[in-house]
Amino acid sequence: MSFVDLRLEELAQLYALPPRAPATLRALLDLVQAEPTSITTVRDPERGVDLHIADSLAGLAVPAVCEACSIADLGSGGGFPGLVLAAVLPETRVTLVESVGKKCKFLQRAAETLELRNVDVVNARAEAWQGGLGTQDVVTARALAPLNVIVEYAAPLLVEGGTFVAWKGRRDPSAEADGVAAADIVGLEPADSDPIPVETSIHGADARHLYVYLKVRDTPDEFPRREGMARKRPLQASIRG
């Protein structure tokens, strides 16, 4: 058995994944490796099994992710964490929201090849996805934008009581403060005082973290702002005084 297959079996045991999950996740890594367009910089399955698969599965540490009926993954790119979560949560409807057309085509092909019938692909920017407003139990985002920007993207899409999970790198107090300030403006609040460390065989626990926010009140009507405004004029701690 190859290193990749052994690692997938290890992850399957760690997270109590469905029996078919290792084979499906291996097939996903193979699709990424074979894809001729630049959907991700990491294409080698021996690196991708941790950098993509284990990293995505870390989201299962958040109970709301495991219990969700609907998940929207923003900026899905090569399908991480969205396709991974769809593969291991077959009863959950997973919507992959991606603005780049060639990446959407890959995501659609991958979902069909992997026979993931619980996947929808939306070719749009997060703030332009009107059909998703107020519909999602969980929103995820990995390596998409600064915390305060993705908090603003996620909040309008969540149902009341919904959960936003953001995959980020090492802790940055300034970025965290901006994330908290943005969350307060759009109706979210941090679930805990500290993010959840993510440790894989490649990344140490100091290098990766999950930031979890809960939707505790309605998002104001002015959100989502028009496309591009969240990045151009981000919500920041300084504007809260």
Side-chain angles (χ1 to χ4, degrees):
M1 187 176 287
S2 71
F3 165 78
V4 173
D5 293 324
L6 285 170
R7 182 65 173 134
L8 289 171
E9 290 293 341
E10 181 182 41
L11 291 168
Q13 292 183 26
L14 178 63
Y15 290 104
L17 301 182
R20 290 186 57 197
T24 302
L25 297 175
R26 175 61 201 241
L28 173 57
L29 289 171
D30 291 341
L31 288 172
V32 169
Q33 184 179 40
E35 174 59 28
T37 60
S38 56
I39 54 168
T40 176
T41 57
V42 178
R43 306 166 73 95
D44 178 5
E46 290 200 1
R47 296 187 64 215
V49 70
D50 268 289
L51 290 172
H52 292 323
I53 304 298
D55 196 52
S56 297
L57 291 173
L60 299 177
V62 180
V65 172
C66 301
E67 299 164 2
C69 293
S70 57
I71 295 175
D73 182 39
L74 308 183
S76 287
F80 308 108
L83 283 176
V84 174
L85 295 178
V88 302
L89 300 171
E91 301 304 315
T92 302
R93 197 78 206 166
V94 179
T95 303
L96 311 177
V97 184
E98 173 55 56
S99 63
V100 179
K102 67 180 180 181
K103 294 182 180 180
C104 285
K105 291 177 181 178
F106 168 79
L107 293 170
Q108 192 65 59
R109 288 197 308 272
E112 292 171 358
T113 300
L114 301 174
E115 298 183 349
L116 298 178
R117 297 181 177 86
N118 58 331
V119 169
D120 296 305
V121 179
V122 172
N123 187 188
R125 293 173 62 103
E127 65 268 50
W129 183 34
Q130 293 293 313
L133 296 176
T135 64
Q136 301 299 306
D137 297 324
V138 169
V139 173
T140 60
R142 176 179 181 256
L144 178 60
L147 272 173
N148 53 339
V149 174
I150 52 178
V151 161
E152 181 177 341
Y153 289 163
L157 302 174
L158 288 166
V159 299
E160 187 173 351
T163 301
F164 172 49
V165 184
W167 277 247
K168 301 297 289 182
R170 287 185 172 86
R171 297 189 64 176
D172 179 336
S174 177
E176 290 179 4
D178 285 342
V180 171
D184 184 53
I185 293 170
V186 298
L188 306 186
E189 67 178 25
D192 297 292
S193 57
D194 291 305
I196 301 171
V198 175
E199 186 168 8
T200 72
S201 64
I202 292 178
H203 288 307
D206 65 330
R208 298 287 290 166
H209 295 85
L210 297 180
Y211 287 80
V212 183
Y213 300 84
L214 305 178
K215 186 163 185 177
V216 294
R217 58 185 177 276
D218 289 343
T219 300
D221 290 341
E222 61 263 33
F223 298 98
R225 292 187 283 173
R226 69 178 185 271
E227 292 183 44
M229 289 302 294
R231 283 184 179 270
K232 185 177 180 181
R233 297 180 184 173
L235 306 175
Q236 296 174 312
S238 59
I239 71 172
R240 302 296 286 173

